[in-house]
Amino acid sequence: MTTPLLRVEDLKARYGPVQVLHGIEFNVFKKEIVVVLGANGAGKTTTLRSISGMVETSGLIEFDGQPTKKLNPSEIVRRGVAHVPQGRGTFPELTVEENLKVGAFIRTDKDIKTDIEACYSSYPVLYERKAQTAGSLSGGEQQMLAVSRALMSRPQLLLMDEPSLGLAPQIVEDLFTRFVTMNQDHGTTMLIVEQNAQLALDIASRAYVLESGEVTIEGRAEELVNDDAIRKAYLGT
Ligand SMILES: Nc1ncnc2c1ncn2[C@@H]1O[C@H](COP(=O)(O)OP(=O)(O)O)[C@@H](O)[C@H]1O
Ligand SMILES: [Mg+2]
């Protein structure tokens, strides 16, 4: 067995007196795309925020073989974890190009400009709008920018919280196709939280289902697509 890139064991989290994660456990291996499914309020966002060091937790979170417990969020980014938060993960008052530069805040190397150009060639619309504020972009363009901004830290692991939320189906399909390309071309490992189970299971190798702060189902994506409970709860068929 290889060591997982991300190992989560007995993860518990609370907001004040209310415990919302009750000892969850999962792994993400290098180069995998893993999806987390679950209803509203199940604890998906809290799980990603825990990995990024934004929530007080107990239990074990290990990234690349090292516990992340004592690290603050920017140290976790430095270790190689980037987070595209739920909603629009951009700074609306900053321009497209400024957003990309902010995404590279941990870097001092000379390749930042090259990486910005690479973003522009993947997403020409971002090049066209590079001097516009992020807030003036359409929802789909903002999501492309949010993902591009996260990639500017050259992450090993990309956490994405409901990237399809509020986007038209065609745009979502395009975005997910790009996730697959990113994964294949650059080997970027991804942990994606999604309500759009069908699309997410199509691109993922494995999935976990969270219910009320616990992992209740896990398995290979192609098996879960055919699982009756999953079909009923998340695929509407
Ligand atoms: N900042 C917060 N303060 C108090 N309770 C919160 C906060 N954020 C989330 N919660 C509660 O924690 C639970 C899990 O929320 P969340 O992780 O956002 O779930 P999901 O992303 O699966 O919808 C929910 O019951 C939610 O109401
Ligand atoms: Mg959420």
Side-chain angles (χ1 to χ4, degrees), residues 44-45 86 161-162:
K44 305 180 298 298
T45 294
Q86 193 172 325
D161 198 346
E162 303 210 26

Side-chain angles (χ1 to χ4, degrees), residues 211-237:
E211 283 174 56
S212 307
E214 289 178 77
V215 173
T216 52
I217 303 175
E218 61 178 279
R220 300 204 54 79
E222 69 261 25
E223 285 159 16
L224 295 187
V225 168
N226 297 312
D227 182 286
D228 281 345
I230 299 271
R231 296 198 70 84
K232 220 167 154 194
Y234 302 103
L235 300 173
T237 54

Side-chain angles (χ1 to χ4, degrees), residues 176-224:
F176 275 58
T177 305
R178 285 162 189 277
F179 294 163
V180 173
T181 311
M182 259 155 49
N183 173 257
Q184 285 170 350
D185 293 357
H186 306 287
T188 313
T189 309
M190 300 181 193
L191 180 61
I192 308 178
V193 160
E194 253 306 325
Q195 301 249 357
N196 191 332
Q198 182 69 63
L199 260 184
L201 290 173
D202 276 352
I203 70 162
S205 56
R206 292 187 302 118
Y208 292 89
V209 175
L210 259 188
E211 283 174 56
S212 307
E214 289 178 77
V215 173
T216 52
I217 303 175
E218 61 178 279
R220 300 204 54 79
E222 69 261 25
E223 285 159 16
L224 295 187

Side-chain angles (χ1 to χ4, degrees), residues 9-112:
E9 268 178 25
D10 197 28
L11 177 67
K12 295 179 179 150
R14 56 173 64 248
Y15 295 107
V18 184
Q19 190 173 344
V20 299
L21 298 182
H22 302 276
I24 69 176
E25 221 154 284
F26 65 93
N27 290 318
V28 180
F29 292 90
K30 271 193 183 135
K31 301 197 175 166
E32 264 196 313
I33 298 180
V34 172
V35 62
V36 178
L37 305 174
N40 267 329
K44 305 180 298 298
T45 294
T46 306
T47 301
L48 293 195
R49 290 175 57 86
S50 301
I51 297 164
S52 288
M54 299 186 279
V55 188
E56 283 252 352
T57 57
S58 71
L60 178 78
I61 300 175
E62 223 174 61
F63 180 70
D64 212 7
Q66 305 280 332
T68 60
K69 185 109 207 159
K70 296 198 171 68
L71 304 176
N72 65 39
S74 69
E75 288 166 334
I76 292 174
V77 178
R78 270 172 222 283
R79 285 278 186 90
V81 180
H83 191 153
V84 180
Q86 193 172 325
R88 304 281 168 246
T90 55
F91 296 98
E93 310 294 325
L94 299 185
T95 66
V96 166
E97 184 139 319
E98 285 164 349
N99 267 278
L100 294 174
K101 285 181 178 160
V102 169
F105 79 97
I106 60 166
R107 293 172 53 184
T108 52
D109 58 87
K110 294 195 176 68
D111 296 334
I112 295 175

